[in-house]
Every structure is written in C-alpha cells, then in structure tokens.
Amino acid sequence: MSDFLKSRLITLGGKGKTRALSIGADAPVSIQTMWKSPLVGADIHDIARKLSLLEQLGCDIVRFAVPDSASASLLCQLAEVTSMPLVADIHFDWRLALACMDGNVAKIRINPGNIGSEDRIAAVVKKAQDTHTALRIGVNSGSLPKDLQARVNDAINAGKDINQARAHALVEAASREVEFFDQLSFTTFLVSMKASSVQETVYSNEEFARKFNHPLHLGVTEAGPLIAGVVKSTLAFSSLLTRGIGSTVRVSLSDNLENEVIAAREILSECGLRKGGVRIVSCPRCGRDGFDVHGFVSRWQRELYSLNKNITVAVMGCIVNGPGEGKHADIGITGAGSEVVIFRHGEIVRRVSTKDGYTETDNAFRQELEKL
Ligand code: SF4
C-alpha cells in the first residue's frame, strides 16, 4: 500500500465563459503555465487568441501576475472573453485578491507569508467561499517564515542534509496555512511548495502527501533555461507523479509559454498520465543525413502538437534508415538530396522534389497529414 494519501478532488472555473476544471483524485493531471509579460498595456483580445493556441497545445490553466489594481481589472476583463481558467498571482496586497474575485477569475494564488495578518487571509478565504473561487497556498523556499529559516540554519550548522532540512521547513510552512484554512472550513484549495532544487522539491511534496490529501501543484522554481529547466522538472515530476503525487504541474522555464506547455505534456505522456495527441519521433541526424530534420521539426513542432489527432509522426534524416526506423509512425518524412519522401507505416506514399525549397514539400506533407 502507498505511503501517500490520495488527494481530494476540487473543481475550479465554471463561472461565466470559463471552463470548469477538476483537479485532484482521479482527474487527469492538468498543465499550467504563467503569462510572461504585464497585463497593463496588452490587448486583451490578443491574449485571448494566444490562450486558445495554448489550449490546443494542451494547456489547462494560465496564471497572470497581478501586481496592481489595473492588472486585477484587466484580468477580470480577460476572464469575460476566454474560456481558459485564469489564475491571479497575488503577493503582499490582499485587496488585489478580493478585486480579482469580483470577476470570473478561477483561482487565486497567494503566499500567505507575505499577505500579512490572519484577518486579511480570512477575508480572502471568505470571499473565495462566497464566489466559489479556488485558492492556492504557494510557499517558496526563498521566503520561509523567520522561525523556520532559523531551524533550517540550525540543521545545516548541525551537519544535517540541507535539502531535507529545507523541505521539512517548506512542509511546516504549508501545514500552518492548511490548518488555518481548515479552521475556516475552506476546502477548495491546492498547495504548492516550491524550491529550485530537485531533491528539495521531491522531499517536500513526498512529506506533504504523507500527511495531507490536498491536491498538490508541482513546480521547480527558477528552474533555468530550456534544457536545465526541462531536466530538473522531468526529474522532480516523474519521481513524484509516478507515485501518485501531484495533481497539476507547471514547467517553469526562462523560455516561451509554448515550450513550457509542450515540456509538461511530454513529461505527463512519458509518465503514462496523458494519453493521445500527436507524438513526434525524430532522429538526431548523423553523417548519413540527407534531410534537414532539425529545420523541419522546428517549423512544424507547434502545429503538430496543436492537432487534435492521436498519431505518431516520424521525421527522419535519411532514406536508408528513415522509413524503416519510422515503421511504427502513422506518417513520416525523410529525404535524400533533391527528393523528399513521405511514408506511412514505413511504406512510401509520396515523393516530392526539393528544387523549390521547403514550400512544396511542406504542402505535400500537410496534404498527407490531413488524410489521417
Ligand atoms: S535516420 Fe539516418 S540520418 Fe537519422 S540518425 Fe538514423 S541513420 Fe542517421
């Protein structure tokens, strides 16, 4: 039997145009990302269009920084024109959380440690109850309460494992807030305990899941640029998700939103937690290379991942091995010199000259793709 408690189910969204989303228990693990620029000065309708594209890529929730009342008002306006469940990220000013709950914002992320007195947190919880808004208690390794930070320092000075000590402090910080929410009889919330270390992330979420059944939002904070961030997130999430810990994930990257979503869906897919969709297999290229695999993948990746098809696409570097190695693929492409071949389950179905560049080969590939 597992050491870890099965998380309870919560539902968020469902107000106005916003899609309802279940998180926890047996609901699919959802994918989140965070908008990378200020709301103030942006065109709400442009953002709504981009949110639709993110949804096609597999994104379930998007969080926005709300540092001032103008941002709170714009987030409420955005929630009127998109079906994507939106999350307000609030620090310090509890009144901004209240303002966001005047609109159809699905969830508020607060760090109770910087919101201030219990009265203010209680006011946020009360309004969340009244407006059926979910909350996330987000505690961070970098902003632990002073007494817990002192305990961590003592543990380090005593030669104890720093990741264990910090993870324990994160769980203690989260536990205090969970107990306060429990006293207020509020149940529609998630918890996140974020650190930039993989081990600290794993230890803290393991320890929490042994004690509580609140849904966990997994994330490695300040994970770094694309490669480092994907590596850290993959290690942390796969260790936790494969043992049933974690109900929603955000891959945090110094990179674009699309790559955060694609990385998250690949992790979920490889952990067996997300079925279907487009799977891209592509070769690394070698000295036999006769086709620009890297260029093709980078031109087509987003479009392929946005398709509502359950298929495998192979992009291979050479005619010698490509169709054979891509036998399992529903559609594949490879080339040799002045010709590109498109194949299905290893059988060549089309040959296209490359003399006019990519346009003709890309068009032919699109036509074959549409037949699937
Ligand atoms: S498919 Fe061809 S080019 Fe690609 S790695 Fe294999 S042998 Fe090399």
Side-chain angles (χ1 to χ4, degrees):
M1 200 175 128
S2 167
D3 276 358
F4 308 112
L5 300 174
K6 183 170 181 171
S7 77
R8 60 172 77 166
L9 185 73
I10 67 166
T11 303
L12 52 81
K15 292 184 281 182
K17 244 187 128 172
T18 309
R19 197 163 23 84
L21 180 71
S22 295
I23 296 182
D26 295 321
V29 176
S30 52
I31 293 174
Q32 316 207 10
T33 187
M34 186 165 180
W35 198 253
K36 306 229 172 207
S37 51
L39 276 163
V40 174
D43 181 317
I44 292 299
H45 295 281
D46 278 351
I47 298 179
R49 276 189 286 278
K50 184 95 183 263
L51 294 180
S52 298
L53 297 175
L54 289 171
E55 186 173 358
Q56 285 171 20
L57 281 174
C59 183
D60 300 299
I61 318 170
V62 180
R63 179 162 48 120
F64 289 79
V66 178
D68 48 41
S69 56
S71 304
S73 164
L74 286 164
L75 190 64
C76 291
Q77 288 174 40
L78 180 61
E80 295 291 321
V81 296
T82 178
S83 59
M84 177 73 80
L86 305 181
V87 184
D89 192 81
I90 309 281
H91 288 273
F92 306 110
D93 191 345
W94 58 291
R95 289 163 301 192
L96 296 174
L98 302 183
C100 289
M101 288 189 268
D102 286 333
N104 291 334
V105 171
K107 185 170 59 148
I108 309 283
R109 181 265 163 151
I110 54 169
N111 181 345
N114 66 30
I115 289 291
S117 67
E118 287 195 340
D119 285 357
R120 291 175 177 180
I121 299 167
V124 172
V125 169
K126 170 81 174 61
K127 187 147 183 179
Q129 270 164 333
D130 292 346
T131 57
H132 303 289
T133 308
L135 297 178
R136 166 159 67 96
I137 298 170
V139 295
N140 274 32
S141 194
S143 57
L144 287 169
K146 281 191 184 127
D147 64 316
L148 294 179
Q149 186 56 55
R151 267 197 234 167
V152 171
N153 295 343
D154 289 346
I156 295 168
N157 290 337
K160 297 207 172 131
D161 181 292
I162 183 169
N163 289 307
Q164 291 277 16
R166 293 177 71 86
H168 189 63
L170 270 175
V171 175
E172 177 63 29
S175 307
R176 291 175 182 178
E177 305 307 335
V178 167
E179 279 158 21
F180 186 53
F181 277 35
D182 285 347
Q183 281 169 30
L184 299 170
S185 304
F186 184 66
T187 53
T188 315
F189 69 94
L190 299 94
V191 173
S192 64
M193 291 155 297
K194 293 204 188 168
S196 58
S197 138
V198 170
Q199 280 184 315
E200 196 178 327
T201 305
V202 171
Y203 291 157
S204 56
N205 283 283
E206 279 175 344
E207 185 176 333
F208 187 91
R210 281 193 194 98
K211 296 179 175 165
F212 299 100
N213 68 352
H214 299 283
L216 281 166
H217 162 125
L218 304 183
V220 179
T221 195
E222 297 141 17
L226 184 65
I227 295 172
V230 168
V231 168
K232 287 184 191 174
S233 301
T234 305
L235 285 170
F237 296 0
S238 58
S239 164
L240 293 163
L241 291 168
T242 51
R243 291 178 293 154
I245 304 170
S247 301
T248 179
V249 297
R250 190 242 170 147
V251 174
S252 169
L253 301 173
S254 304
D255 206 278
N256 60 51
L257 294 162
E258 290 84 353
N259 281 343
E260 289 194 357
V261 173
I262 291 168
R265 62 178 264 179
E266 288 295 293
I267 294 169
L268 294 185
S269 170
E270 293 302 325
C271 287
L273 295 169
R274 200 164 259 230
K275 306 266 185 266
V278 173
R279 182 165 177 258
I280 301 175
V281 292
S282 57
C283 86
R285 286 170 69 168
C286 72
R288 290 190 193 86
D289 164 53
F291 180 64
D292 180 13
V293 172
H294 300 182
F296 185 88
V297 168
S298 102
R299 280 201 309 287
W300 277 85
Q301 177 176 248
R302 283 187 196 174
E303 183 173 338
L304 287 172
Y305 280 135
S306 297
L307 294 175
N308 187 19
K309 292 181 192 283
N310 186 11
I311 54 170
T312 298
V313 178
V315 188
M316 310 304 278
C318 68
I319 191 81
V320 181
N321 290 340
E325 289 179 6
K327 235 183 216 155
H328 55 292
D330 299 282
I331 185 168
I333 187 164
T334 186
S338 60
E339 193 176 58
V340 157
V341 301
I342 298 169
F343 52 92
R344 286 211 212 133
H345 297 288
E347 297 296 321
I348 293 173
V349 293
R350 196 145 167 183
R351 293 177 184 271
V352 190
S353 163
T354 57
K355 70 175 169 20
D356 297 325
Y358 297 134
T359 313
E360 206 175 320
T361 56
D362 279 13
N363 285 345
F365 180 75
R366 181 167 282 107
Q367 285 162 10
E368 293 302 321
L369 193 59
E370 282 167 0
K371 291 180 189 168
L372 297 175

